Each structure stands twice: as C-alpha cells, then as structure tokens.
Amino acid sequence: MGKLFGTDGVRGVYEKELTLDLAYGLGQAGASVLGRNAHRPKIVIGMDTRESGNALEQALARGIVAVGGEAVLVGVLPTPAIAVITREIQADAGVVISASHNPFQFNGIKFFDGLGFKLPDAVEDDIETIVLEKQAVELKEGGRISQLEKPEDLYLNHIKQAVKSDFSGLKVVMDCANGAAYAIAPAFFRSLGADVVVIGDQPDGKNINAGCGSTHLQPLQHRVVDEKADIGIAFDGDADRCLAVDNVG
C-alpha cells in the first residue's frame, strides 16, 4: 500500500490529514486515471452525515469537473448503496465520503470501480502517484456536476429483489448511529410491513457513532427490552455493517 490509500481508502482527521486540497487532488487524479484514452468519466459521489461531508463532496466534484468528468451527487446514503448505484447507472466509478465507525472529526474517501467493487491496487497506485508527486494532469472542458433524482430508489429496489419477505407482525428496534442509514433503513423495513422503532436517527453532523450504533450496543439492547421487540439492529456510521440482538437484548 502507498502513503495515501489504506485498506479502506484514504482516511484522516478533517482539515489535518484529510484536507479540501487533498480531496480536490483525489477527484482530479481519479477522473484523470479513469478518463484515459479521451474517455470522459462519470463518477458517483455519496457520503454519510459528518459535518465535513458537504465540503469534501464539493472539492471532489470540482476536481472531477476540472479534467472533464461528470460528478453525480447522490447525497447521504449507505456505502453499499453507492456501490449499487454506480453499477446501475453505468458510471465509471463511485466515491464514498465516510470514516465508517470513527468519530465525526475523521472522514475518508473510498473509490469503487464501475461494478461497485474496490479499485484494483494498480489503479489506486496510479491515482496516488499523481497526487503525491503533484503530477500535471490534462485539464478538459465539458465537465459538469449533476444530481441524481431519488437515488435511494435504485438501492431499495435492489434490496427488495433480494429480500422477498413480508415483515408484517415483526417489531424491530433500529439504531442508525446518526449516520447514513438514518432515513433509508427504517423506510425499507416499514415498506415490508415491519413495526419499526428508531433510535440514532437525528444526525447533526457531530453525533455520528457517538454513544450509539454498532459500536455502542447498550442503548439498543435496553430499548429492545423496553419495547418488547422481536429484534434489534444497529448500523455503523456508513451502514456497511450491522450487529443484531434478540428479543432479550
């Protein structure tokens, strides 16, 4: 691995290790590598609920546009949703702005390929080399920023095709970690008939993973017992993993 990309993208404390200049450079370098041979890449950008997400999103998008790419913004959605949307709209890559289970001071930038999988190491190395060595890239006109309408529908439809179940009669307590799942996860379970009680669904930019979610199960355990629920589910900040407890917590 190089000096920027770890096992799960580029991460660090916002405005220290992970700056807006670095985000711009990653957007520019990523689009340049993916846009070789005169191709104009389309790159999906999603994020979790950290207060630094919007600024990093705009920096990434400006970098993509500077080299002639299209940045497709989808807003706050779980990491797996970005992977699915990238594939569904036939984008060249996807980017998630998140630091997963870490506190709000941290953030990260993770790339997916056009099929929604992690970029090959060789491609990450090419992007990293451009950024670290400050290599010049070809600036191109024609880039743009677009917004995908109702991107969550693409992900919800994908899940519903895999989960052909009726949750009627099931009472679920859900801890969304004040993160990326705070809206979409309860909506999905309710659409299948479940009675859903939600905690950790009031993100304010700073409370992601703070005493809640999959790294802090006690609030969920207590609420499951209090509500006489059948099951409890706790997500982490970007909702790419969850833990579950039974009806006795």
Side-chain angles (χ1 to χ4, degrees), residues 49-73:
T49 57
R50 294 163 210 271
E51 64 178 6
S52 57
N54 286 323
L56 289 167
E57 173 198 62
Q58 290 302 309
L60 266 168
R62 286 189 290 105
I64 292 166
V65 168
V67 294
E70 179 181 0
V72 182
L73 310 185

Side-chain angles (χ1 to χ4, degrees), residues 172-176 189 217 220 224 231-235 242-245:
V172 182
V173 177
M174 189 171 293
D175 186 343
C176 296
F189 276 80
L217 285 178
L220 176 70
V224 165
I231 189 172
I233 300 171
F235 295 96
C242 68
L243 294 177
V245 300

